[in-house]
Amino acid sequence: MPSPLPPPANLLDQAETICRRRGVRLTAQRRRVLAILSAAGRPLGAYEILEQMRAGSRPLAPPTVYRALDFLLEQGLIHKLESLHAFVGCPHPDHRHASQFLICSDCGRVTELEHEAVADSLRSIASAAGFRASRPIVELIGICAECDDASEDTPDEPAC
């Protein structure tokens, strides 16, 4: 069952604790990027994050956001969705994990799952092929239950 994201303040406090424990710094810029992703409730691209960071502040260059995203990815505080070229906050950054994502192509909702049997299966298959995955992430694109239910409530349009 997917776990809901904690409130952004909670997630930010948790990220601060994780970084302190690991001996790395969650700078103001990194914290701001994480706050923007956590509050968005949807995946955001780097330039969307940059636009939000520019609002009411001094001019920022894209490398500023990319460096922050690289740090947050390295620390497991966010995930990159390759199929969307976008980023989402991690709802459970307290431990490293292989993630699976359900991405709704209708509403854009992304649900992160952490199913160990899927991760084990992928590791086993990769190992048998002599391959070691550095980012064992699975992205399933389809229709979420809410959008599917909504489409069932809408009468089909007549075929031409």
Side-chain angles (χ1 to χ4, degrees):
M1 195 67 170
S3 57
L5 277 175
N10 232 2
L11 184 63
L12 295 175
D13 292 343
Q14 187 179 15
E16 191 75 52
T17 301
I18 289 167
C19 288
R20 195 175 318 110
R21 189 174 52 226
R22 293 178 182 163
V24 296
R25 286 189 58 227
L26 185 64
T27 63
Q29 295 280 30
R30 294 167 178 171
R31 186 177 176 94
R32 176 96 169 102
V33 169
L34 183 58
I36 288 168
L37 281 170
S38 299
R42 65 178 183 84
L44 295 177
Y47 280 89
E48 290 176 286
I49 296 166
L50 180 61
E51 285 306 311
Q52 288 190 37
M53 289 184 73
R54 283 180 174 163
S57 94
R58 60 184 171 80
L60 295 172
T64 303
V65 171
Y66 282 110
R67 281 192 298 269
L69 289 169
D70 286 344
F71 172 85
L72 296 170
L73 281 167
E74 183 179 304
Q75 297 304 315
L77 300 171
I78 65 171
H79 298 289
K80 182 176 184 183
L81 300 173
E82 299 292 341
S83 64
L84 301 177
H85 304 290
F87 301 87
V88 292
C90 178
H92 35 81
D94 56 328
H95 62 282
R96 302 267 182 196
H97 55 277
S99 298
Q100 302 92 40
F101 295 95
L102 306 177
I103 303 169
C104 181
S105 56
D106 276 5
C107 70
R109 179 179 294 120
V110 174
T111 303
E112 180 180 345
L113 306 175
E114 185 182 345
H115 200 285
E116 200 54 41
V118 172
D120 288 343
S121 177
L122 290 172
R123 274 190 291 273
S124 175
I125 291 167
S127 177
F131 185 82
R132 186 173 50 93
S134 58
R135 291 186 35 209
I137 297 172
V138 175
E139 298 178 27
L140 298 175
I141 300 172
I143 307 297
C144 71
E146 287 182 35
C147 289
D148 195 39
D149 289 346
S151 70
E152 288 177 7
D153 293 342
T154 307
D156 290 334
E157 301 223 357
C160 295

Coordinates of all heavy atoms in Angstrom, one line a residue, residues 20-76:
R20 N 22.2 15.6 8.7 CA 23.1 15.8 9.9 C 23.7 14.5 10.3 O 24.9 14.4 10.5 CB 22.3 16.4 11.1 CG 23.2 17.0 12.1 CD 22.4 17.7 13.3 NE 21.3 18.6 12.8 CZ 20.0 18.3 13.0 NH1 19.6 17.2 13.6 NH2 19.1 19.1 12.5
R21 N 22.9 13.4 10.4 CA 23.4 12.1 10.7 C 24.5 11.6 9.8 O 25.4 10.9 10.1 CB 22.2 11.1 10.8 CG 22.6 9.8 11.4 CD 21.4 8.9 11.6 NE 20.6 8.8 10.4 CZ 19.2 8.9 10.4 NH1 18.6 9.1 11.5 NH2 18.6 8.8 9.3
R22 N 24.3 11.9 8.5 CA 25.3 11.5 7.4 C 26.5 12.4 7.3 O 27.4 12.2 6.5 CB 24.5 11.4 6.1 CG 23.5 10.3 6.1 CD 22.8 10.3 4.8 NE 21.8 9.2 4.8 CZ 20.8 9.2 3.9 NH1 20.7 10.1 2.9 NH2 19.9 8.2 4.0
G23 N 26.5 13.5 8.0 CA 27.6 14.5 7.9 C 27.6 15.3 6.7 O 28.7 15.8 6.2
V24 N 26.4 15.5 6.1 CA 26.3 16.4 4.9 C 25.4 17.6 5.2 O 24.6 17.5 6.2 CB 25.8 15.6 3.6 CG1 26.8 14.5 3.2 CG2 24.4 15.0 3.9
R25 N 25.5 18.6 4.4 CA 24.7 19.8 4.7 C 23.5 20.0 3.8 O 23.6 19.9 2.6 CB 25.6 21.1 4.5 CG 26.6 21.2 5.6 CD 27.3 22.6 5.6 NE 26.4 23.7 5.6 CZ 26.4 24.7 4.8 NH1 27.3 24.8 3.8 NH2 25.5 25.7 4.9
L26 N 22.4 20.2 4.4 CA 21.1 20.5 3.7 C 21.1 22.1 3.7 O 20.6 22.7 4.6 CB 19.9 20.0 4.4 CG 18.6 20.2 3.7 CD1 18.6 19.4 2.3 CD2 17.4 19.7 4.5
T27 N 21.7 22.6 2.7 CA 21.9 24.1 2.6 C 20.5 24.7 2.3 O 19.5 24.0 2.1 CB 22.8 24.5 1.4 OG1 22.2 24.0 0.2 CG2 24.2 23.9 1.6
A28 N 20.4 26.0 2.4 CA 19.1 26.7 2.2 C 18.6 26.4 0.8 O 17.4 26.2 0.6 CB 19.3 28.2 2.4
Q29 N 19.5 26.4 -0.2 CA 19.0 26.2 -1.6 C 18.5 24.7 -1.7 O 17.5 24.5 -2.3 CB 20.2 26.3 -2.6 CG 20.7 27.7 -2.7 CD 19.9 28.6 -3.6 OE1 18.7 28.4 -3.7 NE2 20.5 29.6 -4.2
R30 N 19.2 23.8 -1.1 CA 18.8 22.4 -1.2 C 17.4 22.2 -0.5 O 16.5 21.5 -1.0 CB 19.8 21.5 -0.6 CG 21.1 21.4 -1.4 CD 22.2 20.8 -0.6 NE 23.5 20.7 -1.3 CZ 24.6 20.4 -0.8 NH1 24.7 20.1 0.5 NH2 25.7 20.3 -1.6
R31 N 17.3 22.8 0.7 CA 16.1 22.8 1.5 C 14.9 23.4 0.7 O 13.8 22.8 0.7 CB 16.3 23.5 2.8 CG 15.1 23.3 3.7 CD 15.4 24.0 5.1 NE 14.3 23.9 5.9 CZ 14.1 23.0 6.9 NH1 15.0 22.0 7.0 NH2 13.0 23.0 7.6
R32 N 15.2 24.5 0.0 CA 14.1 25.1 -0.8 C 13.7 24.3 -1.9 O 12.5 24.1 -2.2 CB 14.7 26.5 -1.3 CG 13.7 27.2 -2.2 CD 12.9 28.3 -1.5 NE 12.2 29.1 -2.4 CZ 10.9 29.0 -2.6 NH1 10.2 28.1 -2.0 NH2 10.4 29.8 -3.5
V33 N 14.6 23.6 -2.6 CA 14.2 22.7 -3.7 C 13.4 21.5 -3.2 O 12.3 21.2 -3.7 CB 15.5 22.2 -4.5 CG1 15.1 21.0 -5.4 CG2 16.2 23.3 -5.2
L34 N 13.8 21.0 -2.0 CA 13.1 19.9 -1.4 C 11.7 20.4 -1.0 O 10.7 19.7 -1.2 CB 13.8 19.3 -0.2 CG 13.2 18.1 0.5 CD1 13.0 17.0 -0.5 CD2 14.1 17.7 1.6
A35 N 11.6 21.6 -0.4 CA 10.3 22.1 0.0 C 9.4 22.3 -1.2 O 8.2 22.0 -1.1 CB 10.5 23.5 0.7
I36 N 9.9 22.8 -2.3 CA 9.1 23.0 -3.5 C 8.6 21.6 -4.0 O 7.4 21.5 -4.4 CB 9.9 23.7 -4.6 CG1 10.1 25.2 -4.2 CG2 9.2 23.6 -6.0 CD1 11.1 25.9 -5.1
L37 N 9.4 20.6 -4.1 CA 9.0 19.3 -4.6 C 8.0 18.7 -3.6 O 7.0 18.1 -4.1 CB 10.2 18.4 -4.7 CG 11.0 18.6 -5.9 CD1 12.3 17.8 -5.9 CD2 10.2 18.2 -7.2
S38 N 8.2 18.9 -2.3 CA 7.3 18.3 -1.3 C 5.9 18.9 -1.4 O 4.9 18.2 -1.2 CB 7.9 18.4 0.1 OG 9.1 17.7 0.2
A39 N 5.9 20.2 -1.6 CA 4.6 20.9 -1.6 C 3.8 20.8 -2.9 O 2.6 20.9 -3.0 CB 4.8 22.4 -1.3
A40 N 4.5 20.4 -4.0 CA 3.9 20.4 -5.3 C 2.8 19.3 -5.4 O 1.8 19.5 -6.1 CB 5.0 20.1 -6.4
G41 N 3.0 18.2 -4.8 CA 2.0 17.1 -4.9 C 2.0 16.4 -6.3 O 1.1 15.7 -6.6
R42 N 3.0 16.8 -7.1 CA 3.1 16.2 -8.4 C 4.6 16.3 -8.9 O 5.3 17.1 -8.3 CB 2.2 16.9 -9.5 CG 2.6 18.3 -9.7 CD 1.7 19.0 -10.8 NE 2.2 20.3 -11.1 CZ 3.1 20.7 -11.9 NH1 3.8 19.7 -12.6 NH2 3.5 21.9 -12.2
P43 N 5.0 15.5 -9.9 CA 6.4 15.6 -10.3 C 6.6 17.0 -11.0 O 5.8 17.6 -11.6 CB 6.5 14.5 -11.4 CG 5.3 13.6 -11.2 CD 4.2 14.5 -10.6
L44 N 7.8 17.5 -10.7 CA 8.2 18.8 -11.3 C 9.5 18.6 -12.1 O 10.4 17.9 -11.6 CB 8.4 19.8 -10.2 CG 7.2 20.3 -9.4 CD1 7.7 21.3 -8.3 CD2 6.2 20.9 -10.3
G45 N 9.6 19.3 -13.2 CA 10.9 19.4 -13.9 C 11.8 20.4 -13.3 O 11.4 21.3 -12.5
A46 N 13.1 20.4 -13.6 CA 14.1 21.3 -13.1 C 13.7 22.7 -13.4 O 13.9 23.6 -12.5 CB 15.5 20.9 -13.6
Y47 N 13.2 23.0 -14.6 CA 12.9 24.4 -14.9 C 11.7 24.9 -14.2 O 11.5 26.1 -13.9 CB 12.8 24.6 -16.4 CG 14.2 24.7 -17.0 CD1 14.9 23.6 -17.4 CD2 14.8 26.0 -17.1 CE1 16.2 23.7 -17.9 CE2 16.1 26.1 -17.6 CZ 16.8 25.0 -18.0 OH 18.1 25.1 -18.5
E48 N 10.7 24.0 -13.9 CA 9.6 24.4 -13.1 C 10.0 24.8 -11.7 O 9.5 25.7 -11.1 CB 8.5 23.2 -13.0 CG 7.8 22.9 -14.3 CD 6.9 21.8 -14.1 OE1 7.4 20.6 -14.1 OE2 5.7 22.0 -14.0
I49 N 11.0 24.0 -11.1 CA 11.5 24.3 -9.8 C 12.3 25.6 -9.8 O 12.1 26.5 -9.0 CB 12.5 23.1 -9.3 CG1 11.7 21.8 -9.2 CG2 13.2 23.5 -8.0 CD1 12.6 20.6 -9.1
L50 N 13.0 25.8 -10.9 CA 13.8 27.1 -11.0 C 12.8 28.3 -11.1 O 13.1 29.3 -10.4 CB 14.6 27.0 -12.3 CG 15.5 28.3 -12.6 CD1 16.5 28.5 -11.5 CD2 16.1 28.1 -14.0
E51 N 11.7 28.2 -11.8 CA 10.8 29.3 -11.9 C 10.2 29.6 -10.5 O 10.0 30.7 -10.1 CB 9.7 29.0 -12.9 CG 10.1 29.1 -14.3 CD 10.7 30.4 -14.6 OE1 10.1 31.5 -14.3 OE2 11.8 30.4 -15.2
Q52 N 9.9 28.5 -9.7 CA 9.4 28.8 -8.4 C 10.4 29.4 -7.5 O 10.1 30.2 -6.6 CB 8.8 27.5 -7.8 CG 7.5 27.0 -8.4 CD 6.9 25.9 -7.7 OE1 6.9 25.9 -6.5 NE2 6.3 25.0 -8.4
M53 N 11.7 29.0 -7.6 CA 12.7 29.5 -6.8 C 13.0 31.0 -7.2 O 13.4 31.8 -6.3 CB 14.0 28.7 -7.0 CG 13.9 27.4 -6.3 SD 15.4 26.4 -6.3 CE 16.4 27.3 -5.1
R54 N 12.8 31.4 -8.4 CA 13.1 32.7 -8.9 C 12.0 33.7 -8.4 O 12.3 34.9 -8.2 CB 13.1 32.8 -10.4 CG 14.4 32.2 -11.0 CD 14.4 32.3 -12.5 NE 15.6 32.0 -13.1 CZ 15.8 31.6 -14.3 NH1 14.8 31.7 -15.2 NH2 17.0 31.3 -14.8
A55 N 10.8 33.2 -8.1 CA 9.8 34.1 -7.6 C 10.2 34.8 -6.3 O 10.4 34.1 -5.3 CB 8.5 33.3 -7.4
G56 N 10.3 36.1 -6.4 CA 10.6 36.9 -5.2 C 12.0 36.7 -4.7 O 12.3 37.0 -3.5
S57 N 12.9 36.3 -5.5 CA 14.3 36.2 -5.1 C 15.3 36.7 -6.1 O 14.8 37.1 -7.2 CB 14.6 34.8 -4.7 OG 15.2 34.0 -5.7
R58 N 16.5 36.7 -5.8 CA 17.5 37.1 -6.8 C 17.6 36.1 -7.9 O 17.1 35.0 -7.8 CB 18.9 37.2 -6.1 CG 19.4 35.9 -5.5 CD 20.7 36.1 -4.7 NE 21.0 34.9 -4.0 CZ 21.6 33.9 -4.5 NH1 21.9 33.8 -5.8 NH2 21.9 32.8 -3.8
P59 N 18.1 36.6 -9.1 CA 18.2 35.7 -10.2 C 19.0 34.4 -9.9 O 20.0 34.5 -9.3 CB 18.9 36.5 -11.3 CG 18.8 37.9 -10.8 CD 18.6 37.9 -9.3
L60 N 18.5 33.3 -10.4 CA 19.2 32.0 -10.2 C 19.5 31.4 -11.6 O 18.7 31.6 -12.5 CB 18.3 31.0 -9.4 CG 18.1 31.4 -8.0 CD1 17.0 30.5 -7.4 CD2 19.3 31.4 -7.1
A61 N 20.6 30.7 -11.7 CA 20.9 30.0 -12.9 C 20.5 28.5 -12.8 O 20.5 28.0 -11.7 CB 22.4 30.1 -13.2
P62 N 20.2 27.9 -13.9 CA 19.8 26.4 -13.9 C 20.8 25.5 -13.1 O 20.4 24.6 -12.4 CB 19.7 26.0 -15.3 CG 19.3 27.3 -16.0 CD 20.1 28.4 -15.3
P63 N 22.2 25.7 -13.2 CA 23.0 24.9 -12.5 C 22.8 24.8 -10.9 O 23.0 23.8 -10.3 CB 24.4 25.4 -12.8 CG 24.3 26.1 -14.1 CD 22.9 26.7 -14.1
T64 N 22.3 25.9 -10.4 CA 21.9 26.0 -9.0 C 20.9 24.9 -8.6 O 21.1 24.2 -7.7 CB 21.4 27.4 -8.6 OG1 22.3 28.3 -9.0 CG2 21.1 27.4 -7.1
V65 N 19.9 24.8 -9.5 CA 18.9 23.8 -9.2 C 19.4 22.4 -9.5 O 19.1 21.5 -8.7 CB 17.6 24.1 -10.1 CG1 16.6 22.9 -10.0 CG2 17.0 25.4 -9.6
Y66 N 20.1 22.2 -10.6 CA 20.7 20.9 -10.9 C 21.6 20.4 -9.8 O 21.6 19.2 -9.5 CB 21.3 20.9 -12.3 CG 20.3 20.9 -13.4 CD1 20.1 22.0 -14.2 CD2 19.6 19.7 -13.6 CE1 19.2 21.9 -15.2 CE2 18.6 19.7 -14.6 CZ 18.5 20.8 -15.4 OH 17.5 20.7 -16.5
R67 N 22.4 21.3 -9.2 CA 23.3 20.8 -8.2 C 22.5 20.4 -6.9 O 22.8 19.4 -6.3 CB 24.3 21.9 -7.8 CG 25.5 22.1 -8.7 CD 26.6 23.0 -8.2 NE 26.1 24.3 -8.0 CZ 26.2 25.3 -8.9 NH1 26.7 25.1 -10.1 NH2 25.7 26.5 -8.6
A68 N 21.5 21.1 -6.6 CA 20.6 20.8 -5.5 C 19.9 19.5 -5.7 O 19.8 18.6 -4.9 CB 19.6 21.9 -5.2
L69 N 19.4 19.3 -7.0 CA 18.7 18.0 -7.3 C 19.7 16.8 -7.2 O 19.3 15.8 -6.7 CB 18.1 18.1 -8.7 CG 16.9 19.0 -8.8 CD1 16.5 19.2 -10.3 CD2 15.7 18.5 -8.1
D70 N 20.9 17.0 -7.7 CA 21.9 16.0 -7.6 C 22.2 15.6 -6.2 O 22.2 14.4 -5.8 CB 23.2 16.4 -8.3 CG 23.2 16.4 -9.8 OD1 22.2 15.8 -10.4 OD2 24.0 17.0 -10.4
F71 N 22.3 16.5 -5.3 CA 22.5 16.3 -3.9 C 21.3 15.5 -3.3 O 21.5 14.5 -2.6 CB 22.8 17.6 -3.1 CG 22.8 17.4 -1.6 CD1 24.0 17.0 -1.0 CD2 21.7 17.5 -0.9 CE1 24.0 16.8 0.4 CE2 21.7 17.4 0.5 CZ 22.9 17.0 1.1
L72 N 20.1 16.0 -3.5 CA 18.9 15.4 -3.0 C 18.8 14.0 -3.5 O 18.3 13.1 -2.7 CB 17.7 16.3 -3.3 CG 17.7 17.7 -2.6 CD1 16.6 18.5 -3.2 CD2 17.7 17.6 -1.1
L73 N 19.1 13.7 -4.8 CA 19.0 12.4 -5.3 C 20.1 11.5 -4.6 O 19.7 10.3 -4.2 CB 19.3 12.4 -6.8 CG 18.2 12.8 -7.7 CD1 18.7 13.0 -9.1 CD2 17.1 11.7 -7.8
E74 N 21.3 12.0 -4.5 CA 22.4 11.2 -3.9 C 22.0 10.8 -2.4 O 22.3 9.7 -2.0 CB 23.6 12.1 -3.9 CG 24.8 11.4 -3.3 CD 26.0 12.3 -3.4 OE1 26.4 12.8 -4.5 OE2 26.7 12.5 -2.3
Q75 N 21.3 11.7 -1.7 CA 20.9 11.4 -0.3 C 19.6 10.6 -0.2 O 19.2 10.3 0.9 CB 20.8 12.7 0.4 CG 22.1 13.5 0.6 CD 23.2 12.6 1.2 OE1 23.0 11.9 2.2 NE2 24.4 12.7 0.5
G76 N 19.0 10.3 -1.4 CA 17.7 9.6 -1.3 C 16.5 10.3 -0.8 O 15.5 9.7 -0.4

